Amino acid sequence: MIVNEQKLNSILEQNPNQPIYYFYSSEEYLVRKAAQKVVQSLVQQTGEESTVIEGPVPCVEEIVLAAGTISFFGTKRIVELPLVQPSKFSDKDLKEFCEVLNSTENAVFVITSVFEDEKARRGKRAQTLIQATEKLGVSVEIAPLGSSEMVKMLVETAKELQTEMEAGAPQALLERCGNDLFLLHTEVEKLAAASGYTTITKKLVAQMSVRNVEADVFDMVRLVQSGRKVEAFQRLEQLLQQQNDPIAIAAALSSSYVDLYRTKAAQAVRKNHTQVHKDFGYKGSDWRLKKASESAARLSIEQLEKILDILMDLDTQLKSCPADKGILLQSALAAMIQAGSRR
């Protein structure tokens, strides 16, 4: 069962006191957050501290030891099994692991897994664990957050810190930091403190939040596509002055234009960015593809193909040519602007 955060909260409310809670997703942040919520609730109910047994293949003997002892208070033990990777088990060990989950009566298990993609989730051993936990308790797949859900998450995180977010500030933070949920959570905590736990404004986001290379390159692409050529070159110069690896900059450029190409091709067959996100197995929010589809509308497929050819040549030159890598990047950016302006 694939659920969003709201549906997950409803499921947890309707299914208290389960022996198994298994959360899996492509986003580590989401499963850790769900597990933390359940564990905190169990600790409050029982007065017990949880025992954490680390994966990816937790030791069965340790699980039995932690879960088999009867609590002094007559309550069940809380056993956390974070980031279990079913594919790392042998068939024999996974069978034994599931048997322990099924036979233990004195413990509540809170288990999480992160699957890289749909193929990993559909793997034989992953399905074995999913099916076993579905029979024993709560077992759900947590869906990645869409762009609007990420905005909501940022606002709610700020509210937990008794802090407001100015209109547009969550979107500005997403543009600067990308869709790394751990980073975004940390940034909200930092900005809330910097605001004196009052209001996180767009100005404060611009002044204090971090920017990753991908976000800067994405911004540079948007400057190119909006015809702001001078500013695009200025942004490239800033990236080089900050000593970012030219190959990393080129890789981020290629990634951005691949997004544009995919969304443009999807538009031609009347599909939107959400379908691209699903078809190509993107992780996290679809915000990046939403913005890519907006930029792609200004270009033709032929122009995007030409730009991708330029970026392929750039990658080869950066890895083999002795010329100054900054000059190679600047030359490629000029060629991309020219390719994108032809009609």
Side-chain angles (χ1 to χ4, degrees):
M1 181 193 314
I2 304 177
V3 302
N4 57 23
E5 190 171 17
Q6 182 179 0
K7 179 64 175 176
L8 174 62
N9 291 336
S10 176
I11 290 172
L12 294 179
E13 289 174 2
Q14 295 169 15
N15 296 273
N17 305 317
Q18 295 293 311
I20 299 283
Y21 293 91
Y22 182 39
F23 306 115
Y24 54 99
S25 177
S26 60
E27 287 283 355
E28 181 179 342
Y29 177 89
L30 296 178
V31 296
R32 284 194 179 274
K33 183 179 178 182
Q36 182 183 43
K37 180 175 183 177
V38 169
V39 170
Q40 287 176 343
S41 176
L42 291 170
V43 169
Q44 289 176 356
Q45 292 174 33
T46 64
E48 295 278 354
E49 291 297 322
S50 68
T51 300
V52 180
I53 302 176
E54 299 288 348
V57 181
C59 176
V60 170
E61 288 77 12
E62 288 185 46
I63 296 172
V64 172
L65 183 63
T69 307
I70 299 175
S71 167
F72 177 79
F73 300 101
T75 55
K76 290 188 175 183
R77 297 291 186 182
I78 305 165
V79 181
E80 294 185 67
L81 303 171
L83 305 183
V84 170
Q85 295 184 31
S87 63
K88 299 292 184 181
F89 285 79
S90 67
D91 289 338
K92 177 178 177 296
D93 288 343
L94 183 57
K95 180 180 179 182
E96 185 177 0
F97 177 67
C98 292
E99 287 174 351
V100 169
L101 297 181
N102 185 40
S103 62
T104 303
E105 298 180 355
N106 298 319
V108 179
F109 294 99
V110 183
I111 312 168
T112 59
S113 293
V114 177
F115 296 116
E116 183 177 352
D117 50 32
E118 184 75 3
K119 181 180 178 181
R121 186 185 67 78
R122 290 183 176 276
K124 176 185 174 182
R125 295 188 180 106
Q127 287 300 304
T128 296
L129 182 56
I130 290 170
Q131 291 166 14
T133 52
E134 284 176 344
K135 294 177 182 177
L136 298 171
V138 171
S139 180
V140 294
E141 178 179 2
I142 306 176
L145 302 182
S147 53
S148 61
E149 293 169 320
M150 292 187 77
V151 168
K152 182 180 178 182
M153 182 204 80
L154 296 176
V155 172
E156 290 177 348
T157 302
K159 283 185 177 180
E160 290 171 2
L161 300 167
Q162 287 78 53
T163 305
E164 298 296 322
M165 291 196 83
E166 179 183 72
Q171 292 84 349
L173 189 58
L174 283 170
E175 289 188 16
R176 289 183 65 87
C177 298
N179 58 12
D180 184 323
L181 298 180
F182 285 108
L183 174 60
L184 288 167
H185 185 94
T186 300
E187 286 299 294
V188 171
E189 290 181 328
K190 180 183 75 177
L191 294 168
S195 75
Y197 299 99
T198 55
T199 301
I200 298 173
T201 64
K202 288 187 289 185
K203 181 178 180 181
L204 187 62
V205 170
Q207 289 175 336
M208 294 197 62
S209 63
V210 301
R211 270 189 90 93
N212 56 31
V213 173
E214 289 77 11
D216 271 318
V217 169
F218 186 77
D219 195 28
M220 183 167 65
V221 170
R222 286 196 295 167
L223 290 171
V224 169
Q225 298 314 124
S226 61
R228 296 154 67 182
K229 304 171 187 177
V230 173
E231 292 177 67
F233 276 103
Q234 289 173 342
R235 184 58 51 83
L236 174 58
E237 185 62 26
Q238 288 172 0
L239 284 166
L240 293 171
Q241 288 177 352
Q242 293 165 358
Q243 298 185 335
N244 288 291
D245 182 3
I247 293 177
I249 295 172
L253 271 171
S254 296
S255 178
S256 290
Y257 275 98
V258 166
D259 290 344
L260 265 68
Y261 184 85
R262 286 173 174 171
T263 55
K264 186 68 177 183
Q267 290 169 6
V269 292
R270 298 185 178 180
K271 291 186 177 182
N272 60 22
H273 67 277
T274 303
Q275 190 64 45
V276 174
H277 189 275
K278 179 180 178 180
D279 289 347
F280 287 92
Y282 282 83
K283 294 181 181 179
S285 168
D286 61 358
W287 174 87
R288 177 175 125 188
L289 287 174
K290 179 181 179 181
K291 294 297 181 181
S293 67
E294 293 171 0
S295 294
R298 305 183 183 98
L299 294 168
S300 67
I301 285 287
E302 292 75 21
Q303 287 173 313
L304 285 167
E305 288 175 348
K306 177 62 177 176
I307 290 171
L308 289 174
D309 286 340
I310 292 167
L311 287 167
M312 186 179 296
D313 290 341
L314 173 63
D315 181 71
T316 301
Q317 291 174 348
L318 287 172
K319 294 174 181 177
S320 62
C321 180
D324 183 279
K325 290 180 170 54
I327 293 176
L328 291 174
L329 273 168
Q330 291 169 344
S331 298
L333 182 57
M336 289 160 58
I337 290 172
Q338 185 177 15
S341 64
R342 291 174 182 168
R343 298 295 177 188

